[in-house]
Amino acid sequence: MTHLPPPAEELRLLDTELRQLDARRALLLARRAWLITALRPPVAPPPPPPPVRRPETTAPRVQNVLLVLGGTLLTIAAIAFTLVSWGRMGIAGRALVLGAVTLAALGSPVLLLRHRLRSTAEAVAGLGLALTVLDVYALHEVALPDTNGLGYAAIGSALSAALWTAYGLALGGTRRPTGEAATPARLTLRLPLPTALAAAQLPLILWAAAADAGAPVMTGALLVTAALDTAVALRVPVRSVCLVAAVGAYGLGGWGSFAAGWLSWTATGPSAVARAAALLLFAAAIALAAAWRLPDTNVATWVASAGGLLTVAALGGVPRSSLPGEWTVPGYVVCAVAVLAAVRTRLPEPMRRGLALAVASVQAVAVVGALPPVAVALLGPVARVGRIWTGAPSTAREAVTTDGVPWPPYAATAPLVLVVVATVLAVAVRGAEWRPRATIGASALVWAAALVLPAALDIPYWAGMSAQGLTIVAALAYVARSAEPRPVLFLLALVSSVSLACLSLAAEGTTLGVLAALTVLFAAVSGRSRLAPVAALTYATALACAVGASLGWQSQYIALLVLLVPVVAALLAARLAGSPARVPVEVTGTVAGLLAVGLAVPDPPLLALVLALCAVIAAGTAVREDRRPAGYAATALFVLAAWVRLACWGVGSVEAYTLPVTVPALLVGAFGRRKDPLTSSWTAYGAGLSVTLVSSLLTAWIDPDWPRPLLLGVAALAVTLVGARHRLRAPLVLGGGVLALDALHELAPYLVQMAGALPRWVPPALAGLVLLALGATYEQRIRDARRVREVLGRMR
């Protein structure tokens, strides 16, 4: 009977058979595709297309090159004819030839434009324009040879400009306004009008040169020509004409403005100053008028800025000729402030930005000019650090101009300049974005003015010191009363305090009083800035040194007075938990402690005391939970103090220096293992044991006597036994190693004697026997080594 499986089993078998059939069919199809591909003949790739030779230039370019070259050659030929062959013909022939050629050259473009040959017409028109120049030259050589060349050139250039303008308007005209329909049948010439404008740049300049006019007249001619160019650039819509006019306006306008500025700077009399000011105002009017009409806002801003600078130069040059030299910069600054009033008017926004930029530039230059006296007043007192208590100077200027540093000339009005600029910043800047920056800048300028004012006025020394101290008090009082932090103002007060402290070094009493006052002031505002406690502690350190020096103490005794600063710093840092000033205060206290150590170096006994006191301060700091690492510093300081004291007592034994380290270290290690049983013996006892055992071993190795090696061996044996008893790896390894090396040191002399007594063949023989024994028991030794490693591994 046929066995039929259950339906589920039968369905599984059918699915398996179908999957096998699908896999077999896919394999056969892949093989069939490969066979078909293998039986097909290979298909050759299509040949690449032949390279196509492309022209290296376009037809319009070739045409333009030919036309320009042809027009140039004809112009050269006409010049050669005029210069070389002119004398071979009579007057009538000359006039007839040049006139006919000129008329033909100027009239041909009319026919060429009708036939729509615009490029050819431009080339022929250019030849005609060049021929008119030759006609003017020929007329001068033949009919008017005795006339002034420059004057004739001025008239000729004016007539040529007028003729070319009429010719260009007749054949070219201007472009139609946008939106009007252009006549497609009519073509125009583009060359005559820009050429006429280029010729129009010369008449006024040549006329001024022909008349031997002075620099003011020549400058006026440049500016008038620039004004005409500006008007053309703003009114004529032809692009080529605008380009020529813009080049002339910027070039001649810039040249004329520079010449007018130089005339204003070098003017000595009222009339010369007035003429230069008029020229500068005329140049400024041109620039401002152009800025009013320019469509590009960026260009308009820069042009208006140039106009503002020219206005300031014009107005500031008038009082400069009648006032002393130190009032030159304030005069220009006041004129800039007057120009700033125009910014509040209803001028276009680009013009207002440009005028504001011009005023800012003038004020920036004025501030830079006032920086040299500020630098002398700020850095000059630093030179007194090397000449402490040598006597107070008589004046404030003498106090800052030490070591041959001269007082800058024209510095008397520097405070006035700084105050005026600060007032402008505080009043004129109103934007929400720039207002905070302007406030900071104004504060810095007022501080600089207050810093340089005593030296600028050359008041007495004590009055200058008092003025600078009042400035610091005012700044710190404002910082203390302000609801918001004022880091810039505090920084300025801190810089002033450094300068004041250096100034006070001239006299003993002044130094003590100033340092005490600065300490109290910065301590009073210690809650307003993270640097205030640092400054207070720094000045307290300086005050301690100054008090000690005033009492005639030696440096090692001054160190004890300086140690009060680290004590105060440690107590203050404990109260500043979570404050950003905590770390700077601790760093300042640490630096003061290092200074005390340095001062105590000349006296070793007192140095030991200072180190011990520093260790006490560090230990007190380590009591706090978050300052536990200070305990390491305290330990190191205690050890150093003990070592210095032992050195003072003349103790030469190494153990006297190492045991005070080893015993506390072992006690700390034992306490740590009791608190955490998983602590390794190397971590707990390794450092403490190494300090004494290793140093004593090195000393015993060169010690010829027997007590030290004997005692070291006993100590190493005791440490080894303790390590074996408690199964501790570090004592076992360190004690055993030191014991073995110590024993080797003691047996070394006998080994040397034995080696000298034995024959020379005995050592090699002994070495061979040892190697044979080791080889014979190699496997056993390996098992023993593994067993020892496992035993040591089970130790802690």
Short mmCIF file of all heavy atoms in Angstrom, two decimals, residues 735-773:
data_model
loop_
_atom_site.label_atom_id
_atom_site.label_comp_id
_atom_site.label_asym_id
_atom_site.label_seq_id
_atom_site.Cartn_x
_atom_site.Cartn_y
_atom_site.Cartn_z
N GLY A 735 61.44 44.23 49.38
CA GLY A 735 62.34 43.77 50.45
C GLY A 735 63.27 42.68 49.97
O GLY A 735 64.48 42.71 50.26
N GLY A 736 62.76 41.69 49.21
CA GLY A 736 63.63 40.63 48.71
C GLY A 736 64.67 41.13 47.75
O GLY A 736 65.84 40.70 47.79
N GLY A 737 64.28 42.03 46.86
CA GLY A 737 65.26 42.57 45.91
C GLY A 737 66.35 43.35 46.59
O GLY A 737 67.54 43.19 46.27
N VAL A 738 65.99 44.22 47.51
CA VAL A 738 67.01 45.01 48.22
C VAL A 738 67.89 44.10 49.07
O VAL A 738 69.12 44.29 49.15
CB VAL A 738 66.32 46.08 49.09
CG1 VAL A 738 67.33 46.78 50.00
CG2 VAL A 738 65.63 47.11 48.20
N LEU A 739 67.30 43.06 49.70
CA LEU A 739 68.08 42.12 50.51
C LEU A 739 69.09 41.38 49.64
O LEU A 739 70.27 41.21 50.03
CB LEU A 739 67.14 41.14 51.21
CG LEU A 739 67.81 40.08 52.11
CD1 LEU A 739 68.60 40.76 53.23
CD2 LEU A 739 66.76 39.14 52.67
N ALA A 740 68.68 40.96 48.45
CA ALA A 740 69.59 40.24 47.56
C ALA A 740 70.72 41.14 47.08
O ALA A 740 71.90 40.74 47.07
CB ALA A 740 68.81 39.68 46.38
N LEU A 741 70.40 42.36 46.70
CA LEU A 741 71.44 43.27 46.23
C LEU A 741 72.38 43.67 47.36
O LEU A 741 73.60 43.84 47.14
CB LEU A 741 70.80 44.51 45.60
CG LEU A 741 70.03 44.27 44.30
CD1 LEU A 741 69.35 45.56 43.85
CD2 LEU A 741 70.98 43.78 43.20
N ASP A 742 71.84 43.83 48.54
CA ASP A 742 72.69 44.17 49.67
C ASP A 742 73.64 43.02 50.00
O ASP A 742 74.83 43.24 50.30
CB ASP A 742 71.81 44.52 50.87
CG ASP A 742 72.63 45.01 52.06
OD1 ASP A 742 73.27 46.08 51.93
OD2 ASP A 742 72.62 44.34 53.10
N ALA A 743 73.11 41.81 49.96
CA ALA A 743 73.99 40.64 50.20
C ALA A 743 75.04 40.53 49.13
O ALA A 743 76.21 40.19 49.41
CB ALA A 743 73.12 39.39 50.27
N LEU A 744 74.66 40.78 47.89
CA LEU A 744 75.65 40.74 46.81
C LEU A 744 76.74 41.78 47.02
O LEU A 744 77.92 41.52 46.76
CB LEU A 744 74.94 40.97 45.48
CG LEU A 744 75.82 40.97 44.23
CD1 LEU A 744 76.50 39.60 44.05
CD2 LEU A 744 75.01 41.32 42.99
N HIS A 745 76.34 42.94 47.52
CA HIS A 745 77.35 43.97 47.78
C HIS A 745 78.33 43.53 48.86
O HIS A 745 79.53 43.80 48.79
CB HIS A 745 76.64 45.26 48.22
CG HIS A 745 77.57 46.33 48.71
ND1 HIS A 745 77.86 46.52 50.06
CD2 HIS A 745 78.32 47.26 48.04
CE1 HIS A 745 78.72 47.51 50.19
NE2 HIS A 745 79.01 47.99 48.98
N GLU A 746 77.82 42.84 49.88
CA GLU A 746 78.69 42.40 50.95
C GLU A 746 79.59 41.25 50.51
O GLU A 746 80.73 41.13 50.97
CB GLU A 746 77.85 41.96 52.16
CG GLU A 746 77.11 43.12 52.84
CD GLU A 746 78.08 44.18 53.30
OE1 GLU A 746 79.08 43.84 53.97
OE2 GLU A 746 77.87 45.38 52.95
N LEU A 747 79.11 40.37 49.64
CA LEU A 747 79.92 39.24 49.19
C LEU A 747 80.82 39.59 48.02
O LEU A 747 81.66 38.77 47.63
CB LEU A 747 78.99 38.09 48.78
CG LEU A 747 78.19 37.44 49.92
CD1 LEU A 747 77.26 36.37 49.35
CD2 LEU A 747 79.13 36.82 50.95
N ALA A 748 80.65 40.77 47.44
CA ALA A 748 81.43 41.12 46.24
C ALA A 748 82.94 41.07 46.48
O ALA A 748 83.68 40.52 45.65
CB ALA A 748 81.01 42.50 45.74
N PRO A 749 83.48 41.61 47.58
CA PRO A 749 84.94 41.54 47.75
C PRO A 749 85.46 40.11 47.80
O PRO A 749 86.51 39.80 47.23
CB PRO A 749 85.18 42.29 49.06
CG PRO A 749 83.99 43.16 49.23
CD PRO A 749 82.86 42.39 48.66
N TYR A 750 84.72 39.24 48.48
CA TYR A 750 85.17 37.85 48.58
C TYR A 750 85.07 37.15 47.23
O TYR A 750 85.92 36.33 46.88
CB TYR A 750 84.33 37.11 49.63
CG TYR A 750 84.41 37.76 50.99
CD1 TYR A 750 83.38 38.56 51.45
CD2 TYR A 750 85.54 37.59 51.81
CE1 TYR A 750 83.44 39.16 52.69
CE2 TYR A 750 85.60 38.20 53.04
CZ TYR A 750 84.56 38.99 53.49
OH TYR A 750 84.64 39.60 54.71
N LEU A 751 84.06 37.46 46.49
CA LEU A 751 83.94 36.88 45.14
C LEU A 751 85.09 37.32 44.25
O LEU A 751 85.61 36.54 43.45
CB LEU A 751 82.59 37.26 44.51
CG LEU A 751 81.35 36.69 45.23
CD1 LEU A 751 80.08 37.22 44.55
CD2 LEU A 751 81.37 35.17 45.18
N VAL A 752 85.49 38.57 44.43
CA VAL A 752 86.62 39.06 43.63
C VAL A 752 87.90 38.34 44.03
O VAL A 752 88.71 37.95 43.17
CB VAL A 752 86.75 40.59 43.80
CG1 VAL A 752 88.04 41.09 43.16
CG2 VAL A 752 85.54 41.29 43.19
N GLN A 753 88.10 38.16 45.32
CA GLN A 753 89.30 37.44 45.76
C GLN A 753 89.29 36.00 45.26
O GLN A 753 90.31 35.46 44.83
CB GLN A 753 89.39 37.47 47.29
CG GLN A 753 89.62 38.87 47.86
CD GLN A 753 89.65 38.87 49.39
OE1 GLN A 753 89.53 37.81 50.00
NE2 GLN A 753 89.80 40.06 49.97
N MET A 754 88.11 35.36 45.35
CA MET A 754 88.01 33.98 44.89
C MET A 754 88.28 33.87 43.40
O MET A 754 88.95 32.95 42.93
CB MET A 754 86.62 33.42 45.22
CG MET A 754 86.46 31.94 44.90
SD MET A 754 84.79 31.40 45.27
CE MET A 754 84.76 31.69 47.02
N ALA A 755 87.75 34.86 42.65
CA ALA A 755 87.97 34.82 41.21
C ALA A 755 89.44 35.02 40.88
O ALA A 755 89.97 34.44 39.92
CB ALA A 755 87.13 35.92 40.53
N GLY A 756 90.16 35.79 41.69
CA GLY A 756 91.59 35.97 41.44
C GLY A 756 92.40 34.75 41.81
O GLY A 756 93.47 34.51 41.25
N ALA A 757 91.93 33.96 42.79
CA ALA A 757 92.68 32.79 43.21
C ALA A 757 92.48 31.57 42.32
O ALA A 757 93.35 30.71 42.20
CB ALA A 757 92.31 32.43 44.65
N LEU A 758 91.34 31.45 41.71
CA LEU A 758 91.04 30.29 40.86
C LEU A 758 91.78 30.40 39.53
O LEU A 758 92.03 31.51 39.05
CB LEU A 758 89.53 30.19 40.62
CG LEU A 758 88.68 29.84 41.85
CD1 LEU A 758 87.20 29.87 41.46
CD2 LEU A 758 89.06 28.47 42.40
N PRO A 759 92.07 29.23 38.93
CA PRO A 759 92.64 29.26 37.57
C PRO A 759 91.63 29.84 36.57
O PRO A 759 90.43 29.87 36.81
CB PRO A 759 92.95 27.80 37.28
CG PRO A 759 93.00 27.14 38.61
CD PRO A 759 92.05 27.87 39.50
N ARG A 760 92.16 30.22 35.41
CA ARG A 760 91.31 30.88 34.43
C ARG A 760 90.33 29.93 33.77
O ARG A 760 89.34 30.37 33.20
CB ARG A 760 92.18 31.55 33.36
CG ARG A 760 93.00 32.70 33.92
CD ARG A 760 93.71 33.44 32.80
NE ARG A 760 94.44 34.60 33.33
CZ ARG A 760 95.14 35.45 32.57
NH1 ARG A 760 95.20 35.24 31.26
NH2 ARG A 760 95.75 36.47 33.12
N TRP A 761 90.63 28.61 33.84
CA TRP A 761 89.70 27.69 33.16
C TRP A 761 88.50 27.36 34.04
O TRP A 761 87.53 26.77 33.58
CB TRP A 761 90.42 26.39 32.79
CG TRP A 761 91.07 25.72 33.98
CD1 TRP A 761 92.34 25.86 34.41
CD2 TRP A 761 90.45 24.78 34.87
NE1 TRP A 761 92.60 25.12 35.52
CE2 TRP A 761 91.42 24.42 35.83
CE3 TRP A 761 89.18 24.22 34.97
CZ2 TRP A 761 91.16 23.52 36.86
CZ3 TRP A 761 88.93 23.32 35.98
CH2 TRP A 761 89.90 22.98 36.91
N VAL A 762 88.54 27.74 35.34
CA VAL A 762 87.44 27.38 36.23
C VAL A 762 86.15 28.14 35.89
O VAL A 762 85.07 27.52 35.84
CB VAL A 762 87.87 27.61 37.69
CG1 VAL A 762 86.70 27.38 38.63
CG2 VAL A 762 89.03 26.67 38.06
N PRO A 763 86.14 29.46 35.68
CA PRO A 763 84.87 30.14 35.37
C PRO A 763 84.16 29.59 34.14
O PRO A 763 82.95 29.33 34.20
CB PRO A 763 85.30 31.60 35.19
CG PRO A 763 86.51 31.74 36.04
CD PRO A 763 87.24 30.44 35.89
N PRO A 764 84.88 29.34 32.99
CA PRO A 764 84.14 28.75 31.86
C PRO A 764 83.59 27.38 32.18
O PRO A 764 82.48 27.02 31.76
CB PRO A 764 85.18 28.70 30.75
CG PRO A 764 86.18 29.73 31.11
CD PRO A 764 86.25 29.71 32.61
N ALA A 765 84.38 26.60 32.96
CA ALA A 765 83.88 25.27 33.29
C ALA A 765 82.64 25.34 34.17
O ALA A 765 81.66 24.60 33.96
CB ALA A 765 84.99 24.48 33.99
N LEU A 766 82.69 26.24 35.15
CA LEU A 766 81.50 26.40 35.99
C LEU A 766 80.30 26.87 35.17
O LEU A 766 79.17 26.42 35.40
CB LEU A 766 81.81 27.39 37.12
CG LEU A 766 82.84 26.92 38.17
CD1 LEU A 766 83.13 28.03 39.18
CD2 LEU A 766 82.31 25.67 38.88
N ALA A 767 80.52 27.80 34.25
CA ALA A 767 79.42 28.28 33.41
C ALA A 767 78.84 27.15 32.58
O ALA A 767 77.62 27.02 32.42
CB ALA A 767 79.91 29.41 32.51
N GLY A 768 79.75 26.24 32.04
CA GLY A 768 79.24 25.11 31.25
C GLY A 768 78.41 24.16 32.09
O GLY A 768 77.38 23.65 31.65
N LEU A 769 78.92 23.88 33.32
CA LEU A 769 78.15 22.99 34.20
C LEU A 769 76.77 23.58 34.54
O LEU A 769 75.76 22.88 34.58
CB LEU A 769 78.94 22.73 35.48
CG LEU A 769 80.23 21.88 35.31
CD1 LEU A 769 80.98 21.80 36.63
CD2 LEU A 769 79.87 20.47 34.81
N VAL A 770 76.75 24.88 34.77
CA VAL A 770 75.46 25.52 35.09
C VAL A 770 74.51 25.40 33.91
O VAL A 770 73.32 25.10 34.06
CB VAL A 770 75.70 26.98 35.48
CG1 VAL A 770 74.36 27.73 35.56
CG2 VAL A 770 76.42 27.07 36.81
N LEU A 771 75.05 25.60 32.70
CA LEU A 771 74.18 25.51 31.52
C LEU A 771 73.67 24.08 31.33
O LEU A 771 72.51 23.86 30.96
CB LEU A 771 74.94 25.98 30.28
CG LEU A 771 75.27 27.48 30.23
CD1 LEU A 771 76.09 27.79 28.99
CD2 LEU A 771 73.99 28.30 30.23
N LEU A 772 74.54 23.08 31.55
CA LEU A 772 74.09 21.69 31.43
C LEU A 772 73.01 21.36 32.46
O LEU A 772 72.02 20.69 32.17
CB LEU A 772 75.28 20.74 31.60
CG LEU A 772 76.29 20.73 30.44
CD1 LEU A 772 77.45 19.81 30.77
CD2 LEU A 772 75.59 20.23 29.16
N ALA A 773 73.21 21.85 33.69
CA ALA A 773 72.21 21.59 34.73
C ALA A 773 70.88 22.26 34.42
O ALA A 773 69.80 21.67 34.60
CB ALA A 773 72.74 22.07 36.08
#
